[in-house]
Amino acid sequence: MEAAVKPMSYLVILISVALAISGQICLRRGMAEVKERTGMNAGQLMRKPATFIREIATTWMVILGLVLFVASALFWLIVLTDVPLGVAYPFVSLTYIVVMLYDRFFEGREIIALNWLGVAAIVLGIILINWGQWSQTSP
């Protein structure tokens, strides 16, 4: 029988997830800034790769987002040394919940009942997947 996942491992998972969420929000805000500054949408930026790269390299919010993603990946590597992927990976779905709330409170997106049902399914899924981990004891 495998040893139970340590509480500290859950903390490191949550740090990794929080950094990924923060990175995603920074990237979104940074690319909105790029769009506003250049007047170009995604398709136009893709057709001008030099402009796209220059804008990414000179927009501090995009750079911060990328740095946060790298930090998230480093914490994730720490997680994967001790936690089975099938236990750790469902926590990544927490990003959907937090990003949905970000969209609601900072982008003005409406959250409908089906969105809340999805949130409930995500939380229930994380609990069910980890239930056995919480009840195991170390040898």
Side-chain angles (χ1 to χ4, degrees), residues 10-30:
Y10 286 112
L11 177 63
V12 178
I13 290 169
L14 292 175
I15 290 169
S16 176
V17 168
L19 288 167
I21 292 165
S22 301
Q24 194 66 253
I25 291 169
C26 287
L27 289 173
R28 167 70 178 121
R29 294 183 73 188

Side-chain angles (χ1 to χ4, degrees), residues 11-23 69 72 75-76 88-96 98:
L11 177 63
V12 178
I13 290 169
L14 292 175
I15 290 169
S16 176
V17 168
L19 288 167
I21 292 165
S22 301
F69 265 123
S72 173
F75 275 91
W76 193 251
Y89 200 71
F91 282 89
V92 174
S93 62
L94 292 174
T95 61
Y96 296 114
V98 176

